[in-house]
Amino acid sequence: MSDRIENAKRALGLVDLTNLNDDCTPEDISKLAERTVTDHGSVAAVCVWPRFVAQAVKELTGTGVKVATVVNFPQGGVETGAVVSETIKAIDDGADEIDHVMAYEAFVAGRKGFVEEQIIRVREAVPEPAILKVILETGEIRDPLLIHAASNIAIGAGADFIKTSTGKVTVNATLEAAEVMLTAIEEARRDNAERVIGFKPAGGIRTSEDAEAYLALADRILGHNWASASTFRFGASGLLDALIATIEGTEPAIGQGY
């Protein structure tokens, strides 16, 4: 079996199959749920708007596929109380994972203490075994030093994962931002080997080649055995079809991303 097929099989189990389209309907969520279990294995999770969490939980019961949702999305606002309430509602509806958009504009403006406090408040609303992913919006932060600092703030405030992007801005996941974030995770691991922090690139990852490049980067920085569904996810809508096409030897399908 070729390395490309092996890598596609590896990536398939790391996908957060996503529909965060503004016009998403309950029917779209049902179609999303139907795609989660394939002949080649299951995706890790679906990621949906908060209003669809309860439906997704019901439709995925028994599959082992997690339900993730987004809060403070996509703007990364500063109304912490509203974000906490949104998070509590999502957890009550059955969400396994919360993808929280860091208040990245406040961070760039120098309000690092505020940003940290907001993440801490959201973290307090996400009880174990639910997990918290913090979206940095690296394409808007831009500066690698600031991306590194944002990674450290999110990790220090209790994030289980750090995630590149919402998929709603001009520049989303890049390998350059991923390298900075994975390096921050490695540094945190050196400081505390028992702390497990994951990584999620999201937005614009559409092909098997894209997935392979991100996994190769993670392997180089954190070791070949590091990336698993508990430490690494791809946030994507079109990637699953491309991975299946690679595994089955058909023409790769290019998805629309999100």
Side-chain angles (χ1 to χ4, degrees), residues 126-224:
V126 182
E128 293 183 357
I131 68 170
L132 173 64
K133 309 188 197 95
V134 175
I135 305 171
L136 307 186
E137 202 68 290
T138 54
E140 294 294 291
I141 296 176
R142 298 187 180 91
D143 185 326
L145 291 177
L146 285 179
I147 293 171
H148 188 269
S151 300
N152 287 340
I153 286 174
I155 291 168
D160 296 303
F161 273 70
I162 51 176
K163 176 178 171 180
T164 60
S165 321
T166 60
K168 298 290 188 179
V169 294
T170 303
V171 177
N172 292 290
T174 67
L175 288 168
E176 292 76 15
E179 182 166 12
V180 174
M181 295 169 69
L182 288 164
T183 298
I185 290 171
E186 166 59 14
E187 291 167 352
R189 185 173 69 174
R190 290 202 302 265
D191 291 339
N192 181 359
E194 295 182 1
R195 176 89 187 276
V196 177
I197 302 151
F199 172 68
K200 180 177 175 178
I205 301 170
R206 300 184 177 93
T207 69
S208 296
E209 290 81 1
D210 290 340
E212 192 170 354
Y214 281 98
L215 285 173
L217 184 63
D219 288 347
R220 177 170 65 80
I221 295 172
L222 287 150
H224 187 76

Side-chain angles (χ1 to χ4, degrees), residues 26 31 45 47 50 56 73 76 80 94 101 121 124 130 147 177 181 192 204 219 222 235 246:
K31 291 177 182 177
C47 188
F73 187 94
T80 299
V101 184
R121 291 276 306 280
E124 290 170 348
I147 293 171
M181 295 169 69
N192 181 359
D219 288 347
L222 287 150
T246 296

